[in-house]
Amino acid sequence: MKSTDSLLISLYQKGDEEALSTLIHRHQRDLFTFILYKINDQDLANDVFQDTFIKIIVMLKEGRYNEEGKFILWAKRIAQNLIIDHFRAKAKNVKVSETTFDSDEFSIFDLIREPSENIEDQLVSMQIQEDLLKMLQFLPENQQEVIKLRFFDGLSFKEIAEHTDMSINTTLGRVRYALINLRKIMEENNIVLTR
């Protein structure tokens, strides 16, 4: 009997990684087609697709999925927000910032922003970035590398994969585990990064 999305989400939240694989496999074509239709660029669509699932994974782990029985609509909303962020950044003609694809995914990276007019905000952002760099030292070297490339240098998953001679899936996995490990470091050391 085919499991419902709700059951798969519940199983995944209880630690069943296979349930997540089933959920992703079930919706990947529909979600990717949605993204590609909006962007009309295969490489960028792949990046947004990967970013969408990273965000979904983190939000599910944090229990931030409201049970509505409409997983694919929720996933498409996340993808749509990432697409909007991309076009906003492009319209401003600036390098994609650290938060463009991760504003809901992992709050640490929400706190890193382009310098604002307020000097106090600049100082706080610089301190947060320094604290993050210190925390990265506790991660395995390969996770440090992908986090720096992704969130500090703004490289796409494809660019990271090419830069490190890894597959996109390996890159995605390393970023995911690095974010999980950073969260553990913060929890274990009662670290709270705020603006």
Side-chain angles (χ1 to χ4, degrees), residues 5 20-37 42 45-46 48-50 52-53 56 71-72 75-76 79 169 172:
D5 289 349
L20 178 67
S21 296
T22 303
L23 193 65
I24 290 172
H25 183 73
R26 178 179 293 174
H27 295 290
Q28 66 185 7
R29 178 176 287 166
D30 188 12
L31 186 58
F32 184 78
T33 302
F34 170 81
I35 294 166
L36 185 59
Y37 177 77
Q42 186 89 22
N46 276 320
V48 172
F49 177 79
Q50 299 288 347
T52 301
F53 269 105
I56 286 169
F71 171 80
I72 189 60
K76 285 180 179 179
N169 287 338
L172 176 63

Side-chain angles (χ1 to χ4, degrees), residues 2-181:
K2 187 176 173 183
S3 300
T4 64
D5 289 349
S6 299
L7 177 60
L8 291 170
I9 289 165
S10 177
L11 290 171
Y12 174 63
Q13 289 174 327
K14 292 173 186 168
D16 182 350
E17 296 289 328
E18 191 59 39
L20 178 67
S21 296
T22 303
L23 193 65
I24 290 172
H25 183 73
R26 178 179 293 174
H27 295 290
Q28 66 185 7
R29 178 176 287 166
D30 188 12
L31 186 58
F32 184 78
T33 302
F34 170 81
I35 294 166
L36 185 59
Y37 177 77
K38 298 272 184 186
I39 295 177
N40 200 26
D41 177 319
Q42 186 89 22
D43 290 338
L44 182 57
N46 276 320
D47 280 345
V48 172
F49 177 79
Q50 299 288 347
D51 283 329
T52 301
F53 269 105
I54 283 183
K55 192 174 268 193
I56 286 169
I57 288 164
V58 174
M59 290 177 80
L60 289 177
K61 282 287 188 191
E62 291 176 345
R64 292 197 288 152
Y65 172 72
N66 296 327
E67 176 49 55
E68 298 166 357
K70 297 176 181 166
F71 171 80
I72 189 60
L73 296 179
W74 179 68
K76 285 180 179 179
R77 268 196 315 271
I78 291 170
Q80 178 69 27
N81 289 338
L82 295 175
I83 292 165
I84 289 167
D85 287 347
H86 167 75
F87 285 114
R88 275 189 192 140
K90 193 173 178 183
K92 288 179 184 175
N93 198 25
V94 295
K95 187 177 117 180
V96 175
S97 72
E98 293 81 21
T99 58
T100 299
F101 290 109
D102 305 283
S103 56
D104 291 330
E105 176 188 317
F106 193 58
S107 59
I108 283 179
F109 296 105
D110 279 340
L111 302 169
I112 304 173
R113 306 218 185 266
E114 295 295 316
S116 64
E117 297 130 26
N118 184 328
I119 188 70
E120 186 181 343
D121 286 346
Q122 287 182 36
L123 292 171
V124 170
S125 292
M126 284 169 45
Q127 184 60 53
I128 289 168
Q129 196 156 356
E130 284 175 29
D131 291 344
L132 275 173
L133 287 169
K134 287 177 192 167
M135 284 194 300
L136 285 181
Q137 294 172 13
F138 295 100
L139 296 179
E141 209 169 289
N142 59 10
Q143 290 179 13
Q144 286 182 39
E145 181 182 28
V146 292
I147 288 292
K148 286 176 183 172
L149 291 171
R150 180 72 182 139
F151 298 107
F152 290 89
D153 297 342
L155 297 185
S156 69
F157 284 107
K158 183 174 186 235
E159 290 168 331
I160 295 170
E162 289 169 357
H163 181 78
T164 58
D165 290 326
M166 295 187 298
S167 70
I168 288 181
N169 287 338
T170 301
T171 302
L172 176 63
R174 285 194 183 160
V175 170
R176 177 177 170 230
Y177 287 116
L179 293 175
I180 290 167
N181 288 334

